[in-house]
C-alpha cells in the first residue's frame, strides 16, 4: 500500500492538531555548553595539578627468610612534583591474613625512581610480601 506525498496542507493540519514545533531552548543549550566546559576544565586541572604527585610502585620479589621475617623488594616511581613517598608493605600467610606490616620512607633519585629492599618482621611464617600502597610526602 502506498501513501500519497505529504503536502503543505497536511503539515498545517498536523500543526493544528499537535501544535507548532518549538525551536530548542537557548538557555538550556547555553547551560549544557557551560557545564561541558566546566567538566573539561576540571579534568584538565586534575591531569595537570592533582595527578602530578602520583606515586606508582611495582612489586619485584620477596623472600621468606624465616618464620619471623620476610624480605620484600619493590620499585617506586615518583612522578613530577613528588620528592619522596611513604610506602606500606605487608606480609601475608597462606590464607592471605596479614602477619606483618611496615611503613618505609622512599627518597627518589635523580631519575625519580627507587628500588627498595626491606625486612618485615612477622608474627608467623609468611608466604608472600607485597606493597599495600604508597603516598607522596
Amino acid at each position: 500500500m502506498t501513501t500519497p506525498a505529504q503536502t503543505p496542507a497536511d503539515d498545517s493540519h498536523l500543526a493544528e492538531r499537535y501544535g507548532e514545533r518549538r525551536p530548542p531552548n537557548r538557555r538550556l543549550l547555553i547551560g549544557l555548553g557551560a557545564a561541558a566546559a566546566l567538566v573539561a576544565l576540571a579534568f584538565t586541572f586534575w591531569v595537570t595539578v592533582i595527578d602530578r604527585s602520583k606515586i606508582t610502585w611495582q612489586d619485584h620479589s620477596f623472600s621468606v627468610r624465616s618464620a619471623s621475617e620476610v624480605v620484600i623488594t619493590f620499585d617506586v616511581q615518583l612522578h613530577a612534583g613528588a620528592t619522596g613517598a611513604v610506602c606500606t608493605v605487608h606480609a601475608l600467610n597462606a590464607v592471605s591474613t596479614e602477619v606483618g606490616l611496615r611503613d618505609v620512607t622512599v627518597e627518589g633519585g635523580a631519575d625519580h625512581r627507587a628500588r627498595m629492599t626491606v625486612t618485615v618482621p612477622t608474627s608467623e611464617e609468611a608466604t608472600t610480601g607485597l606493597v599495600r600502597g604508597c603516598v607522596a610526602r
Side-chain angles (χ1 to χ4, degrees):
M1 180 160 91
T2 61
T3 59
Q6 200 172 31
T7 64
D10 291 338
D11 286 341
S12 64
H13 176 58
L14 292 175
E16 283 178 22
R17 186 172 197 176
Y18 298 109
E20 293 286 329
R21 184 174 185 162
R22 290 184 284 163
N25 186 343
R26 185 177 174 145
R27 281 186 174 173
L28 177 65
L29 293 176
I30 290 172
L32 289 174
L38 186 62
V39 167
L41 182 65
F43 177 75
T44 302
F45 178 76
W46 175 71
V47 168
T48 59
V49 177
I50 294 175
D51 202 36
R52 196 170 272 202
S53 62
K54 183 178 175 186
I55 308 295
T56 55
W57 64 91
Q58 177 70 46
D59 293 311
H60 186 270
S61 64
F62 73 94
S63 174
V64 178
R65 187 175 285 169
S66 70
S68 61
E69 63 184 16
V70 64
V71 178
I72 303 168
T73 302
F74 60 97
D75 296 322
V76 178
Q77 172 71 47
L78 305 171
H79 295 279
T83 58
V86 175
C87 295
T88 302
V89 293
H90 63 156
L92 305 174
N93 67 9
V95 292
S96 297
T97 301
E98 187 173 86
V99 294
L101 182 70
R102 182 171 176 195
D103 286 336
V104 181
T105 301
V106 178
E107 299 295 330
D111 62 351
H112 301 288
R113 295 173 189 234
R115 174 162 285 181
M116 302 295 298
T117 300
V118 297
T119 301
V120 178
T122 61
S123 59
E124 63 181 70
E125 186 171 18
T127 57
T128 191
L130 303 165
V131 177
R132 178 192 282 176
C134 296
V135 294
R137 46 173 201 101

